[in-house]
Amino acid sequence: MTLADVALRAGVSRSTASFVMTGRAADMRISEAAQRKVLEAAADLGYRPNLTARSLRTNKTHTIGLISDTIATTPFAGEVIHGALDAALAHGHLLFVAETAGNEAVEADLISEMLDRQVDGIIYATMFTRYQKAPAVLSKVQSVLINCLDPTSSSPRIVPDEYQGGRTAARALTNAGHLHGIYVIGGRHDIPKTPGGLYAGVNRMRGVEDELRTYGTEVALSYECEYEPAFGYQATIELLSDGHRPRALLCLNDRLAFGAYQALGERGMRVPDDVSVVSFDASDLASWLRPSLTSVALPHYELGRIAVTTLLDAPAGKGGESNDVLVPMPLHEGDSIATVTSAGQIQE
Amino acid sequence: MTLADVALRAGVSRSTASFVMTGRAADMRISEAAQRKVLEAAADLGYRPNLTARSLRTNKTHTIGLISDTIATTPFAGEVIHGALDAALAHGHLLFVAETAGNEAVEADLISEMLDRQVDGIIYATMFTRYQKAPAVLSKVQSVLINCLDPTSSSPRIVPDEYQGGRTAARALTNAGHLHGIYVIGGRHDIPKTPGGLYAGVNRMRGVEDELRTYGTEVALSYECEYEPAFGYQATIELLSDGHRPRALLCLNDRLAFGAYQALGERGMRVPDDVSVVSFDASDLASWLRPSLTSVALPHYELGRIAVTTLLDAPAGKGGESNDVLVPMPLHEGDSIATVTSAGQIQE
DNA sequence: TTGAAAGCGCTAACAG
DNA sequence: CTGTTAGCGCTTTCAA
């Protein structure tokens, strides 16, 4: 079924058929009759345009490549894809998805494969926000970076607003009356493996500290460790063993909070009656915990959606000013925070 | 940069250049000298073939569509994509990924979009195994089904071997000496919403029962419920309150097991000393639990990988015999099963 | 051993 | 208002 078949059956030329099928009939002032004939013929024949052929002429494939370092390990990546997909579809585009597993050779290869297929643009995503150089080729094509803070890149960078997220988490506590006995688990992730901490950790902590300062208070103690359950467990156990009596735990992610819950459970401490907990990620885990965990979400769906929108709406003239976007991190409320009355008593 | 440019620079015709670039120089008996010249010119110019143009001639885009009902909600979907991706890349193909959110109109649209872009084949995946009709169009094109048991479809169906998985889970228990006091949580998922149960539940339970029968024993009690943490918690609490004293819990997935852990923890029962637990999915959750959970994995990566392999290796002549594949479910060992000696004592 | 030429299905000047 | 024509970049038959 080609356009020629449709034109033949409609008794018009291929160009007329083409104009009708691409919706430019009005522009070209095609007669009503001709339009109807073409449309009918197309319907009868079940005609569908060959987009590959069209692309050859138009230099647009209505196709985008999404390439990230990890898609399987984390459910978050799925959300990024999801957001990107919805936006792409809304613009009539399809998405190539690929993953590099952190291998630069694979990465270069994947980008080439996509470019060879004439994608209209490429979205390059890293699993979590960090300073990292994006592949150089990307600056030569339409591209957008997700979570990748390449200072030398001219591509728009889409990242979560971790600082605001930190303030939000702290405010969830202060709003409930918690001003003292706030312990942080995870901190900036300042451990030998990642000296100085992670982007997310550093900025969340800045937000937390600034927010608490607003209330004239501060964190009682911050425990730096890897963001995994076992460390959350260990940190909490150590805290308790050292004689600390936290009224609130601010965990840098849900997995840490999960570990903290396990430790608190073993020590017979109840959430939120004995200790309130707030966290980051708002993963499924947060909703499965008992009580459900109040957590500040990482806006993965939005990151994907905005990346595609930014890519597709980019002005043809590669405009000068930065198109960086800070995406807000919303609070997902659970039942892990108790309200403290001014008398210092707990009220759930 | 087109092939014509390369040919020009190499001082040969476009056809000669084409033969060299597509690796058919030997076939066509192109002179050594000409070959070298072409290769050099291509390298100098940084030539990359325009795959869109090539596709127009060859009718092959080296592109596959993967369409599923959910990619975001579950981390499993990520693994399917991952497996499909690895296999596709190994075959020089790229993957279009899309999700229908269970909407048939969207589904039809997506398939059309992919077909319009001349994909070489389509993989249609449902999130979990079930009897469901696949879109009719798919039988007209190269396609493979994952988890979708459409009895009328002629496409190969790739599904996990749930029956064997059930036997494996049961054997993990019997191998450790557990023959009595085995309670099932989740069962066939035979609840009002899904009368008769789920494919996975039904087949796992068949496997469990057959395996136990081999040892001349059987399940003490099976609790039918939804496969979510809250139900695992509730089921376990009820069991205990009704005076049952399970020695082993066979949970139909990790989330149920998670709920069971919560309940056991509250009742002061230790895993595995007081009660052993085995489960299905082998999700991250299983490794986060304390003690880590022994669980039978759903082979998502393999499902994706095999689907692509099947699609690409399919004989041109759409062969008659069924290409259905049952993918094994491997056991991931954790520390949640205690060994019972013949004397009936527990030994960890 | 190589080159000329046709054509994949489509779009878009340009002429009528 | 509509048709003719020339490609997009590539592969492949056919003739030289």
Side-chain angles (χ1 to χ4, degrees):
Chain A
M1 277 310 85
T2 75
L3 227 209
D5 296 323
V6 175
L8 192 67
R9 180 177 242 260
V12 302
S13 75
R14 277 154 54 225
S15 15
T16 303
S18 173
F19 288 135
V20 174
M21 295 310 294
T22 48
R24 304 195 317 156
D27 278 25
M28 293 290 128
R29 313 207 282 183
I30 307 283
S31 68
E32 285 288 332
Q35 292 193 39
R36 195 175 41 254
K37 280 189 298 181
V38 171
L39 260 13
E40 257 173 32
D44 290 354
L45 265 32
Y47 170 75
R48 299 240 86 204
N50 179 327
L51 263 28
T52 301
R54 178 180 291 174
S55 300
L56 196 54
R57 274 316 303 253
T58 61
N59 279 321
K60 301 216 124 295
T61 53
H62 289 265
T63 272
I64 299 174
L66 169 58
I67 150 166
S68 82
D69 52 359
T70 320
I71 65 168
T73 317
T74 152
F76 303 150
E79 283 292 350
V80 174
I81 297 178
H82 193 193
L85 207 49
D86 282 356
L89 252 34
H91 284 78
H93 286 240
L94 237 38
L95 252 203
F96 280 123
V97 170
E99 119 178 305
T100 68
N103 182 324
E104 287 192 22
V106 172
E107 182 176 281
D109 206 59
L110 251 17
I111 295 180
S112 293
E113 289 284 345
M114 288 182 177
L115 259 18
D116 291 352
R117 285 174 182 76
Q118 318 297 121
V119 293
D120 294 343
I122 291 185
I123 292 171
Y124 181 82
T126 52
M127 184 174 45
F128 57 89
T129 308
R130 62 179 145 179
Y131 295 99
Q132 185 198 319
K133 273 202 80 57
V137 237
L138 292 186
S139 35
K140 300 199 192 307
V141 302
Q142 278 289 32
S143 65
V144 171
L145 271 25
I146 293 181
N147 271 348
C148 177
L149 291 166
D150 181 344
T152 71
S153 167
S154 60
S155 310
R157 291 173 281 258
I158 321 287
V159 294
D161 192 348
E162 304 281 4
Y163 173 79
Q164 164 268 317
R167 295 197 73 132
T168 302
R171 194 160 338 113
L173 255 20
T174 55
N175 276 349
H178 288 278
L179 293 178
H180 306 291
I182 300 179
Y183 286 71
V184 170
I185 296 187
R188 294 172 295 142
H189 202 278
D190 187 5
I191 59 174
K193 215 195 327 188
T194 55
L198 255 28
Y199 175 89
V202 169
N203 287 282
R204 286 173 189 177
M205 285 311 296
R206 279 204 307 118
V208 167
E209 284 154 10
D210 283 0
E211 183 66 22
L212 291 184
R213 189 159 22 242
T214 299
Y215 288 81
T217 181
E218 59 182 1
V219 155
L221 193 146
S222 181
Y223 189 100
E224 296 288 331
C225 64
E226 201 163 334
Y227 293 178
E228 294 299 336
F231 295 92
Y233 174 82
Q234 189 196 335
T236 309
I237 290 290
E238 284 186 21
L239 226 51
L240 265 22
S241 303
D242 288 353
H244 292 288
R245 285 296 165 264
R247 298 301 300 273
L249 252 30
L250 192 153
C251 302
L252 268 291
N253 79 3
D254 293 343
R255 299 198 297 283
L256 283 167
F258 179 40
Y261 265 56
Q262 291 170 330
L264 292 172
E266 283 187 13
R267 293 305 177 98
M269 298 184 73
R270 318 276 308 186
V271 177
D273 309 77
D274 299 320
V275 41
S276 292
V277 182
V278 64
S279 158
F280 292 87
D281 281 3
S283 58
D284 284 339
L285 189 56
S287 66
W288 295 339
L289 254 9
R290 304 181 62 86
S292 63
L293 185 57
T294 291
S295 187
V296 177
L298 232 18
H300 287 101
Y301 177 90
E302 283 297 296
L303 292 175
R305 197 186 61 73
I306 293 173
V308 168
T309 310
T310 305
L311 188 75
L312 263 19
D313 294 349
K318 349 200 105 190
E321 88 282 26
S322 152
N323 291 317
D324 289 0
V325 180
L326 274 186
V327 185
M329 296 177 63
L331 181 71
H332 286 217
E333 298 201 38
D335 302 311
S336 60
I337 300 182
T339 299
V340 182
T341 65
S342 52
Q345 279 177 334
I346 285 174
Q347 192 172 40
E348 194 176 347
Chain B
M1 277 312 84
T2 76
L3 227 209
D5 296 321
V6 175
L8 193 66
R9 179 177 243 261
V12 301
S13 74
R14 277 155 53 228
S15 10
T16 302
S18 173
F19 288 136
V20 174
M21 296 310 294
T22 48
R24 303 197 315 157
D27 277 25
M28 292 291 129
R29 311 208 281 184
I30 307 284
S31 67
E32 284 289 333
Q35 292 192 38
R36 196 173 39 255
K37 281 190 295 181
V38 171
L39 260 13
E40 256 173 33
D44 289 354
L45 264 31
Y47 169 75
R48 299 239 85 205
N50 179 328
L51 262 29
T52 301
R54 178 180 290 176
S55 300
L56 196 54
R57 275 312 304 253
T58 60
N59 279 321
K60 301 217 124 295
T61 53
H62 289 265
T63 271
I64 300 175
L66 170 57
I67 152 167
S68 82
D69 51 359
T70 319
I71 66 167
T73 317
T74 153
F76 303 149
E79 284 291 350
V80 174
I81 296 178
H82 192 191
L85 207 50
D86 282 355
L89 252 34
H91 285 78
H93 285 239
L94 237 38
L95 251 203
F96 280 122
V97 170
E99 116 179 307
T100 68
N103 182 323
E104 286 191 23
V106 173
E107 181 176 283
D109 208 58
L110 251 17
I111 294 179
S112 293
E113 289 284 347
M114 288 181 176
L115 258 19
D116 290 352
R117 285 175 181 73
Q118 317 297 121
V119 293
D120 293 343
I122 291 185
I123 292 171
Y124 181 83
T126 52
M127 185 173 43
F128 57 91
T129 309
R130 62 179 146 180
Y131 294 97
Q132 186 197 317
K133 273 202 78 58
V137 235
L138 293 187
S139 36
K140 299 199 193 309
V141 303
Q142 278 289 31
S143 65
V144 170
L145 272 25
I146 292 181
N147 272 348
C148 178
L149 292 166
D150 182 343
T152 70
S153 166
S154 60
S155 310
R157 291 173 281 257
I158 321 287
V159 295
D161 191 347
E162 304 281 5
Y163 173 78
Q164 164 268 319
R167 294 197 72 133
T168 302
R171 195 158 339 113
L173 255 21
T174 55
N175 276 349
H178 289 278
L179 293 177
H180 306 292
I182 300 179
Y183 286 72
V184 170
I185 296 187
R188 293 171 298 142
H189 203 278
D190 188 5
I191 60 175
K193 215 195 326 186
T194 54
L198 254 29
Y199 175 89
V202 169
N203 287 283
R204 287 173 188 177
M205 286 311 296
R206 282 204 305 119
V208 167
E209 284 154 10
D210 284 359
E211 183 67 21
L212 291 184
R213 188 157 25 239
T214 298
Y215 288 80
T217 183
E218 59 182 0
V219 155
L221 194 146
S222 181
Y223 190 100
E224 296 287 331
C225 65
E226 201 163 332
Y227 293 177
E228 294 299 336
F231 295 92
Y233 174 83
Q234 190 195 335
T236 308
I237 290 290
E238 284 186 20
L239 225 52
L240 264 21
S241 303
D242 289 354
H244 291 287
R245 286 296 167 264
R247 299 301 300 272
L249 252 30
L250 191 153
C251 301
L252 269 292
N253 78 3
D254 293 343
R255 300 198 296 284
L256 283 168
F258 179 40
Y261 266 55
Q262 291 169 329
L264 293 172
E266 283 187 13
R267 294 305 177 98
M269 298 183 72
R270 319 275 308 187
V271 176
D273 309 77
D274 298 320
V275 40
S276 293
V277 182
V278 63
S279 160
F280 291 87
D281 281 4
S283 59
D284 284 339
L285 190 55
S287 66
W288 295 338
L289 254 8
R290 303 181 62 86
S292 62
L293 184 57
T294 292
S295 188
V296 177
L298 233 18
H300 286 101
Y301 177 90
E302 283 296 295
L303 292 175
R305 198 186 61 73
I306 294 173
V308 168
T309 309
T310 305
L311 188 75
L312 262 21
D313 294 349
K318 348 198 107 194
E321 87 282 26
S322 152
N323 291 317
D324 289 0
V325 180
L326 274 186
V327 185
M329 296 176 65
L331 181 71
H332 287 216
E333 297 201 38
D335 302 311
S336 60
I337 299 182
T339 300
V340 183
T341 64
S342 51
Q345 278 176 333
I346 284 173
Q347 192 173 39
E348 195 179 344

